[in-house]
Amino acid sequence: MTDGTAEEWRGWGAATEAALYGPDGFYRRPEGPAGHFRTSVHASPLFAEAVARLLCRVDEAQGRPPALDFVDMAAGRGELVTGVLAALPSDVAARTRAYAVELADRPPGLDHRIEWLPEPPRGITGLLFANEWLDNVPVEIAEVDPAGVARRVLVRRDGTERLGEPLSGAEAEWLARWWPLPAEEGLRAEVGLPRDEAWADAVAAMARGLAVAVDYAHTLDTRPLFGTLTGFRAGRETAPVPDGSCDITAHVALDAALAACGEPGGRVLTQRAALRALGVAGARPPLALATTQPAAYVRALASAGEAAELTAPGGLGDFGWLLQPVGLDHAPLGDLLVDVPDHEEQ
């Protein structure tokens, strides 16, 4: 393999791995993801508060153990785990062991209670929460050639593409099962096998508790014809160029990841449904409050606006939540696992 110059042809998996996580990769930059795009974590503290409530439900489901784990996968600069710790009731916070899993260096000034790790600890008893992690697990891109054969797409560092060899083995099997492409030239798919494996490994780190993946998502009956590969830089969508200058992301086949972990009881639903089950709603406060308590009305109105953004159809509310219990009785988790209306699910 060469040194990664513009002349080198590689599959999108290897190219993305180097562009995002190499020594000078996008996710090694000091500004972190928040410097380039807005996630639910950055949109409102309501998100971290909802995750804290979910952690409390998991705590109750486990009988309030002496030690409760919270693992923030792809933690960025620790924004979510910091917000969750701040939102927990004092008795739960006192028992919580907080972990941030991230390849970048630990940011200065981070709460000393948060352990910074390059991979999740094993034997987790609590909640593993992966917000917009799987969409950045590198995948190969397949494209149908003029003969109707799905081939690997090769790319250079400057973003130029050409077709490589036909897909074979486990990748071809994954494509046939989870993203079957008609024999029409130019149709594309992202081969999500590495994401399935990454999710299965994360779930395997759980001794008991709940694993949650939140991401841009699609299911077998809604796969896009030309894939979803794209880039983000400084708050704007851009061409996915694997030179380290931008984020490279693609939506996640959460249904395939769900099947891959081999644990019973999992499900996929929308962020809108999940957050509503956790008490986040975009209802406006009563107008009478503006007269009796104007400052409280303004705060409530701002909170309602943030909740509306987190649950908005066509926006963050359409994100998928994959929930995978491990060794838990479902009942104590309440609405989040058993009582969400069918029309809210993915």
Side-chain angles (χ1 to χ4, degrees):
M1 182 172 285
T2 69
D3 62 358
T5 63
E7 289 71 32
E8 181 186 0
W9 291 101
R10 295 185 287 182
W12 267 103
T16 301
E17 181 73 31
L20 296 184
Y21 306 114
D24 299 314
F26 179 81
Y27 277 101
R28 302 282 189 175
R29 295 184 170 197
E31 70 270 19
H36 293 273
F37 51 86
R38 178 181 173 88
T39 72
S40 297
V41 177
H42 310 124
S44 171
L46 294 176
F47 190 80
E49 291 167 10
V51 176
R53 286 193 288 274
L54 179 58
L55 179 58
C56 289
R57 288 192 183 186
V58 173
D59 183 39
E60 293 175 5
Q62 296 182 158
R64 299 181 180 275
L68 178 69
D69 297 324
F70 176 69
V71 180
D72 181 7
M73 292 290 296
R77 296 304 174 265
E79 298 95 337
L80 177 60
V81 63
T82 298
V84 168
L85 284 176
L88 288 174
S90 58
D91 63 313
V92 179
R95 292 183 288 111
T96 298
R97 300 181 297 197
Y99 302 93
V101 179
E102 180 59 69
L103 293 178
D105 293 337
R106 181 188 181 98
L110 190 69
D111 191 316
H112 67 90
R113 294 174 294 173
I114 301 169
E115 187 171 352
W116 196 263
L117 300 172
E119 58 185 33
R122 314 306 287 186
I124 297 162
T125 302
L127 175 62
L128 180 146
F129 200 90
N131 186 63
E132 296 196 42
W133 167 50
L134 290 177
D135 69 299
N136 288 128
V137 172
V139 293
E140 297 297 337
I141 308 300
E143 182 175 321
V144 180
D145 70 9
V149 176
R151 293 179 175 271
R152 189 182 317 276
V153 177
L154 305 180
V155 63
R156 296 193 303 194
R157 195 168 184 272
D158 62 4
T160 305
E161 293 183 338
R162 69 174 175 83
L163 296 185
E165 72 280 5
L167 289 185
S168 61
E171 291 178 332
E173 292 172 6
W174 188 96
L175 198 66
R177 179 180 178 187
W178 292 109
W179 201 325
L181 287 171
E184 181 177 333
E185 182 180 2
L187 298 186
R188 290 168 66 116
E190 291 102 32
V191 184
L193 183 61
R195 294 170 173 179
D196 294 356
E197 295 169 344
W199 179 245
D201 185 66
V203 172
M206 305 285 302
R208 188 164 182 251
L210 182 69
V212 180
V214 180
D215 239 309
Y216 299 97
H218 43 58
T219 52
L220 185 59
D221 58 348
T222 62
R223 305 280 192 242
L225 292 176
F226 299 99
T228 61
L229 186 71
T230 191
F232 284 94
R233 182 191 299 114
R236 295 180 179 275
E237 190 168 8
T238 185
V241 178
D243 61 359
S245 69
C246 66
D247 184 29
I248 297 173
T249 179
H251 294 200
V252 182
L254 285 181
D255 49 351
L258 174 64
C261 73
E263 289 280 345
R267 72 183 299 191
V268 177
L269 61 157
T270 64
Q271 175 159 298
R272 180 168 56 259
L275 289 183
R276 286 177 178 172
L278 289 167
V280 177
R284 292 172 62 92
L287 193 58
L289 189 64
T291 302
T292 59
Q293 301 180 57
Y297 176 78
V298 171
R299 289 194 299 271
L301 192 63
S303 180
E306 293 173 3
E309 180 182 2
L310 289 173
T311 59
L316 295 175
D318 289 346
F319 269 51
W321 279 46
L322 192 171
L323 300 107
Q324 182 60 64
V326 178
L328 286 184
D329 176 9
H330 298 181
L333 296 178
D335 291 351
L336 199 56
L337 286 181
V338 297
D339 293 330
V340 177
D342 289 344
H343 70 274
E344 289 283 10
E345 297 185 27
Q346 288 279 57

